[in-house]
Amino acid sequence: MNLYQSLRFLILNNMSLTTEIKTDVVILFAGDSGDGIQLTGSQFTTTAALYGNDISTFPNFPAEIRAPQGTIAGVSGFQLHFGSIEIFTAGDACDVLVVMNAAALKANMKQLKAGGIIIANTDGFDPKNLKLAKYPDGINPLKDGSLEKFKVYEIDITKITRTALADSGLGTKEMDRSKNMFVLGYIYWMYNRSLDKSIEFLKEQFKKRPELIDANIKVLKAGFNYGDTVEAPMHRFEVKPAPVSKGTYRSIMGNQALALGLIAAAEKSGLPLFYGTYPITPASDILHELSKHKNFGVKTFQAEDEIAAITSAIGASFGGSLGITASSGPGIALKGEAIGLALMLELPLVIVNVQRGGPSTGLPTKTEQADLLQALYGRNGESPVPVIAAYNPSDCFYGAFEACRLALEFMTPVFLLTDGYIANGAEPWKFPSAADLPELKVSFAKNNLKEGEAFLPYKRNEKLARPWAIPGTKGLEHRIGGIEKENETGNISYDPDNHELMVKLRQEKVDNIANYIPLQVIDNGKEKGKLLVLGWGSTYGSIKTAIKEAIEEGYDVSHAHVKYLNPFPKNLGDILKSFDKVLIPEINNGQLIKVIRDKFFVDAKGLNKIQGMPFTSQELKNKIVEMLK
């Protein structure tokens, strides 16, 4: 035994390994886009979910396909909040910050709690990387004492990865692509997690490249084993499973859940699903997910542009399919005229808007709630369309299912709003069985006409929905197009009185939906009191966390979250008037608040954030305390 081995033996046998129990932990992985940060985060998420932790995630990445390496603009991040308690947000600040280079540290230092842990890849802090991150000449944050209030673990991840793969036959670039597996293995060690699920993933991911399977597994294990060496800190953490209701769970991202909700609606309605789309961030993953499910009769069509995408979906609906299209704000703008056409034709169509920062190209990979007014009013003429909004990743499933129900039941286009935060975020989902979902009854018009009787394609039922007549059905021939329809006959009409009648009938049909949706409920707090926080969409988790803390501290505050934005639930006005004050937080410059003030004459106050980032619960809590004092 040499001197090094003797010292190591003595240290290991005289140092006790401590394990600290934590109720919840926030980890932020950060590095260049090519460092595999998103994969590292998603793999830890899957493993933590299988362990039984409650989870919320927030992926955050650059818009550029090849972001400038080593710069702050090129930093990719993945924030993960997991715990043995109920989790509603990805966390306000992180306990552990993993940085692959100097830019990742500089971009995310403000996210780290005082006393938090920094795990730094020292190879990413060489003079070149420090210069790219715009640190002053001669300044290295790992060496200048500026990180004294944190626990800093310096590891040359690049060097160890290359050493582990020295005999692999891989080139340096291919070796370096595996260094994210070292990080993952080390974090698995820190939090007492198994490598098994990630090993399964790697075998499936690289099944055509066995040398990459071996390399990645070897580096994954190297990271885990590093935790047992004298170079690593002798400290581990334990986060026990969360007490959740019994059932089968899976980790789900918002876009995945939305796609599955559309498939479930198609199955329950007995209709073939047609998805016409043009790729756009952050909605593209809906297409990716739906294209995997051809076994359910799903047809996906990647059109040449947004206009072709929506008109193909309208054509599918005219032919008797469940027509779906999706985009983000810029694409929705292009779809505007065709949405008006679907409204004029009164055909079922679901339009998904996965909102992002705008206007124009704006912040394509950042989140925002800035398209509510676009969904409500962003078309020419009087164009009323039902609008609903999902509020977390798993609710994207139920939101999609409900949007399909409304479209089919009322023969109308329906908007479903999500955004980048919940589309790319993940959480555990106790998914329903098919038997748990309601049937969606669909009936097509039949030729029951008496001799000499004409088919009336715009004769309405008690819900003011017109019949769905499939083209080619003998005797049910009728005219379609964007010119105003004559009441009941559907013939072209320029009559002023008829136009006013049809405009009011289409509006009345949408307003009438309020009789067929749930009443608004208080999510947390009392039914009446001093302050109501009214939210919609992805602000749900942050508001719920802030309200929970405020109530525990004795503040008289309640939370209601609106899912149905047009029409509103019938009792929403009564709820609003049961509180002295109303606060409406939005990730925009104030949109729902305009509609609420106009509709209910309530002097609501706004809290707005337009930074491409979700609210922290502390920001909301501070505003609640301010308003109540």
Side-chain angles (χ1 to χ4, degrees):
M1 185 180 289
N2 60 32
L3 179 60
Y4 170 78
Q5 291 171 323
S6 300
L7 287 171
R8 182 176 183 274
F9 177 82
L10 289 170
I11 291 170
L12 288 175
N13 281 276
N14 287 281
M15 182 180 288
S16 59
L17 181 64
T18 60
T19 300
E20 181 180 345
I21 304 296
K22 292 274 197 179
T23 57
D24 65 310
V25 172
V26 178
I27 302 175
L28 175 54
F29 301 94
D32 274 329
S33 293
D35 286 336
I37 296 302
Q38 304 303 320
L39 177 62
T40 305
S42 62
Q43 280 297 297
F44 192 90
T45 298
T46 300
T47 297
L50 288 171
Y51 183 76
N53 298 129
D54 199 5
I55 295 171
S56 180
T57 70
F58 177 43
N60 190 11
F61 38 86
E64 294 86 351
I65 294 172
R66 294 189 180 277
Q69 287 194 335
T71 67
I72 291 175
V75 172
S76 176
F78 190 103
Q79 188 162 309
L80 161 71
H81 187 189
F82 66 106
S84 57
I85 56 174
E86 202 170 7
I87 301 293
F88 300 108
T89 75
D92 288 1
C94 59
D95 302 282
V96 180
L97 175 60
V98 181
V99 293
M100 301 301 284
N101 58 23
L105 178 68
K106 193 171 189 180
N108 292 289
M109 272 304 302
K110 61 183 179 182
Q111 298 294 106
L112 185 60
K113 295 176 183 175
I117 295 172
I118 298 172
I119 299 170
N121 175 25
T122 55
D123 180 65
F125 288 79
D126 61 5
K128 178 184 176 182
N129 275 286
L130 290 167
K131 184 176 181 179
L132 287 168
K134 299 192 181 302
Y135 280 99
D137 289 343
I139 298 298
N140 184 336
L142 299 182
K143 307 297 181 186
D144 66 1
S146 60
L147 304 178
E148 286 181 350
K149 63 179 181 179
F150 306 106
K151 299 172 185 174
V152 182
Y153 302 156
E154 298 181 30
I155 308 172
D156 195 338
I157 295 170
T158 305
K159 180 180 178 181
I160 297 173
T161 298
R162 291 174 183 175
T163 301
L165 300 179
D167 300 325
S168 66
L170 297 175
T172 301
K173 284 188 177 179
E174 285 189 307
M175 290 183 192
D176 288 351
R177 289 195 189 104
S178 299
K179 63 180 183 281
N180 64 324
M181 288 296 107
F182 181 94
V183 170
L184 183 60
Y186 182 67
I187 296 296
Y188 278 156
W189 176 85
M190 280 185 70
Y191 290 96
N192 288 283
R193 294 293 187 265
S194 168
L195 306 180
D196 293 347
K197 191 63 183 177
S198 290
I199 290 174
E200 285 178 27
F201 168 81
L202 292 168
K203 288 178 178 178
E204 177 63 26
Q205 182 77 2
F206 299 112
K207 57 187 175 184
K208 294 182 180 178
R209 297 283 304 274
E211 72 278 13
L212 295 184
I213 295 174
D214 294 339
N216 280 282
I217 291 175
K218 184 177 285 187
V219 176
L220 180 72
K221 290 181 177 178
F224 190 90
N225 293 333
Y226 185 87
D228 287 327
T229 67
V230 292
E231 291 88 353
M234 294 290 100
H235 199 81
R236 301 178 86 178
F237 303 93
E238 180 69 26
V239 182
K240 297 186 181 299
V244 296
S245 59
K246 291 183 179 180
T248 305
Y249 288 78
R250 61 164 289 181
S251 177
I252 194 75
M253 295 172 68
N255 278 342
Q256 287 179 312
L258 194 150
L260 296 178
L262 296 174
I263 294 170
E267 288 292 303
K268 281 295 186 176
S269 64
L271 298 174
L273 190 156
F274 179 88
Y275 183 69
T277 191
Y278 182 77
I280 185 171
T281 301
S284 298
D285 284 338
I286 301 171
L287 172 62
H288 301 157
E289 184 64 31
L290 284 173
S291 65
K292 299 175 185 176
H293 298 286
K294 295 177 183 177
N295 56 309
F296 287 110
V298 175
K299 293 181 176 66
T300 55
F301 172 55
Q302 182 176 318
E304 64 269 27
D305 57 38
E306 295 285 8
I307 298 171
I310 186 171
T311 50
S312 69
I314 293 172
S317 289
F318 180 59
S321 294
L322 178 56
I324 314 289
T325 191
S327 191
S328 193
I332 298 297
L334 293 171
K335 294 177 190 285
E337 184 182 1
I339 295 170
L341 174 63
L343 184 150
M344 176 69 78
L345 297 177
E346 299 192 49
L347 286 171
L349 177 72
V350 174
I351 309 137
V352 180
N353 183 349
V354 187
Q355 300 165 97
R356 71 188 204 187
S360 187
T361 306
L363 303 174
T365 60
K366 310 302 180 183
T367 198
E368 206 160 273
Q369 291 183 299
D371 297 342
L372 174 59
L373 295 182
Q374 181 188 41
L376 292 170
Y377 308 119
R379 294 164 296 283
N380 66 296
E382 298 289 342
S383 302
V385 174
V387 179
I388 63 176
Y391 61 84
N392 62 19
S394 60
D395 189 55
C396 289
F397 175 90
Y398 301 102
F401 192 91
E402 178 68 351
C404 293
R405 178 186 77 85
L406 296 178
L408 294 170
E409 199 169 315
F410 294 90
M411 291 292 287
T412 180
V414 176
F415 258 109
L416 171 60
L417 301 179
T418 74
D419 61 42
Y421 179 35
I422 56 177
N424 294 314
E427 65 181 5
W429 177 42
K430 183 181 177 182
F431 54 87
S433 66
D436 296 331
L437 298 172
E439 297 296 327
L440 300 181
K441 295 181 180 179
V442 175
S443 60
F444 296 115
K446 294 181 175 59
N447 186 355
N448 297 322
L449 301 172
K450 298 175 183 177
E451 188 174 348
E453 186 179 0
F455 173 57
L456 299 175
Y458 285 83
K459 187 175 178 64
R460 303 171 186 278
N461 63 16
E462 72 281 359
K463 296 178 181 177
L464 300 182
R466 80 173 185 93
W468 195 356
I470 301 301
T473 306
K474 187 176 180 180
L476 303 188
E477 297 85 357
H478 61 285
R479 184 187 298 273
I480 64 169
I483 299 178
E484 183 62 275
K485 307 286 178 280
E486 183 180 65
N487 187 33
E488 295 195 348
T489 69
N491 295 330
I492 290 175
S493 174
Y494 292 97
D495 179 70
D497 291 335
N498 178 78
H499 175 57
E500 182 167 320
L501 173 65
M502 294 299 282
V503 166
K504 289 186 177 295
L505 278 173
R506 289 189 289 261
Q507 182 66 60
E508 186 181 353
K509 180 173 70 170
V510 173
D511 293 341
N512 186 49
I513 291 174
N515 295 314
Y516 299 91
I517 60 176
L519 294 176
Q520 184 64 47
V521 297
I522 298 294
D523 183 88
N524 200 0
K526 296 182 293 186
E527 299 291 325
K528 56 177 64 177
K530 292 183 178 179
L531 176 63
L532 175 69
V533 181
L534 184 71
W536 71 277
S538 65
T539 56
Y540 177 79
S542 300
I543 296 174
K544 190 173 182 73
T545 302
I547 294 288
K548 186 180 176 187
E549 292 178 5
I551 290 174
E552 288 172 355
E553 294 175 18
Y555 290 100
D556 185 359
V557 59
S558 299
H559 171 206
H561 218 74
V562 185
K563 186 183 183 78
Y564 298 88
L565 296 159
N566 189 37
F568 287 123
K570 290 193 296 184
N571 65 329
L572 181 58
D574 293 335
I575 287 176
L576 292 170
K577 290 169 183 175
S578 297
F579 291 86
D580 298 339
K581 298 178 181 180
V582 176
L583 171 66
I584 303 180
E586 299 182 78
I587 311 174
N588 58 40
N589 205 29
Q591 297 196 12
L592 178 62
I593 192 170
K594 291 181 173 68
V595 185
I596 292 293
R597 285 172 171 171
D598 174 64
K599 179 82 173 176
F600 301 109
F601 303 103
V602 171
D603 185 23
K605 305 299 180 185
L607 177 63
N608 306 103
K609 184 173 184 177
I610 323 166
Q611 301 174 13
M613 300 287 286
F615 280 110
T616 66
S617 58
Q618 191 60 49
E619 287 172 327
L620 293 167
K621 186 179 170 186
N622 290 344
K623 185 64 176 179
I624 289 167
V625 172
E626 175 191 320
M627 288 188 69
L628 288 174
K629 283 186 175 179

